[in-house]
Amino acid sequence: MSSQLIVCFGEMLIDFVPDVSGVSLAESTGFLKAPGGAPANVACAITKLGGSSAFVGKFGDDEFGHMLVNILKQNNVKTEGVCFDNHARTALAFVTLKKNGEREFMFYRNPSADMLLKDSELNTGLIKQAKIFHYGSISLISEPCRSAHMAAMKAAKDAGVLLSYDPNVRLPLWPSQDAARDGIKSIWNHADLIKVSDDEVNFLTKGGDAEKDDVVMSLWHDNLKLLLVTYGAKGCGYFTKKFKGRVPGFSVKTIDTTGAGDAFVGSFLVSVAKDANIFNDEGKLKEALIFSNACGAICTTQKGAIPALPPPDKVQELIKSNAK
């Protein structure tokens, strides 16, 4: 049993990213094929930083599906929790890169294989071995994947595994904004650790200002050990039962923000897996968050999520250069 194992549950897909930034999908003349899907990005970020991770999810039994599973293996992510569907395709997303590196998504998944994962296909033995079970909200959108998600979460919780939740709001995938808000919040109170972006705070609180602590704390629940809010280049905020504060970000030349939040999360989960006492020690927490902010920043300096995930020496370099 690997006591520092982090199991990531959900979707992995192919992102088609325009080879030129700042043009619409219609204007794009070419696309780069990049592996994507937040839980898979997190799993790869963990191993890049020397941690141990596994991915649980379903792929189409097609070239793209096998390509993605091979990418997981190349990144030393355990794949015993992976299965294939003979009838549905692997999900695709076309990503528009705006001039500032922000992006918009157009998804092809009706239904894609990841949505068809059944609870009977779960490798619960693997999930129960984890120190942390990490998931998003896209797997909550439709059945049978929603039931599989709930069963996986329950298996983890019953085994004493720490639950980590990054909702990763993707509104185009939900039937409506209200459905997204309700779906995302339906499992809110189960998590030990939640990470949201400032935009997600605004969405979940129906227009609340993420800079205001009382707005953020409206998302707090009593079972929570830590609530993290990311503010893009400005860094992040942390809230626990005992203390709260902000950790500044790093200034870099941003090309593509895809995967930055996942690099941040993966890095932080490695720190938690090493030392669960981090929630009670503000000094250790801030140190881990400085490292996570640096990971997120470096990830924005090149295109694609997984290829841009940084190794530890790159991260330390950025931290040192900022300390001068």
Side-chain angles (χ1 to χ4, degrees), residues 111 237-238 290:
Y238 58 87
I290 288 166

Side-chain angles (χ1 to χ4, degrees), residues 169-186:
V169 178
R170 296 283 179 268
L171 285 178
L173 293 177
W174 292 87
S176 67
Q177 291 205 4
D178 286 340
R181 218 175 272 113
D182 294 346
I184 287 161
K185 285 190 164 175
S186 68

Side-chain angles (χ1 to χ4, degrees), residues 1 5-7 126-134 152-164 190 192 225:
M1 177 173 152
L5 178 66
I6 302 160
V7 173
L126 177 69
I127 292 165
K128 288 174 181 173
Q129 281 175 34
K131 182 142 188 196
I132 302 169
F133 181 64
H134 176 74
M153 231 167 53
K154 185 178 186 316
K157 193 81 170 173
D158 290 351
V161 179
L162 191 89
L163 299 189
S164 163
H190 296 286
D192 299 291
K225 290 183 168 69

Side-chain angles (χ1 to χ4, degrees), residues 49 232-233 235-236 247-252 260 263-264 267 286-301 308-322:
L49 294 166
C236 65
V247 179
F250 293 85
S251 182
V252 293
F264 173 92
S267 160
K286 284 177 94 159
E287 205 176 304
L289 290 172
I290 288 166
F291 192 87
S292 295
N293 281 347
C295 285
I298 292 168
C299 192
T300 69
T301 60
L309 294 167
D313 53 338
K314 270 262 178 70
V315 184
Q316 294 294 0
E317 246 172 65
L318 178 61
I319 294 170
K320 279 195 185 115
S321 67
N322 266 259

Side-chain angles (χ1 to χ4, degrees), residues 21 97-98 100-102 253-257 300-303:
S21 297
L97 280 183
K98 297 180 185 172
N100 63 358
E102 289 296 334
K253 189 180 184 323
T254 294
I255 290 169
D256 176 10
T257 58
T300 69
T301 60
Q302 70 179 79
K303 277 195 180 135

Side-chain angles (χ1 to χ4, degrees), residues 115-134:
M115 300 160 71
L116 301 176
L117 179 69
K118 299 193 279 283
D119 55 6
S120 60
E121 295 171 313
L122 289 172
N123 184 338
T124 46
L126 177 69
I127 292 165
K128 288 174 181 173
Q129 281 175 34
K131 182 142 188 196
I132 302 169
F133 181 64
H134 176 74

Side-chain angles (χ1 to χ4, degrees), residues 215-233:
V215 171
V216 174
M217 284 307 286
S218 71
L219 296 173
W220 181 266
H221 67 78
D222 285 342
N223 303 324
L224 207 49
K225 290 183 168 69
L226 175 67
L227 176 61
L228 291 172
V229 182
T230 54
Y231 297 93

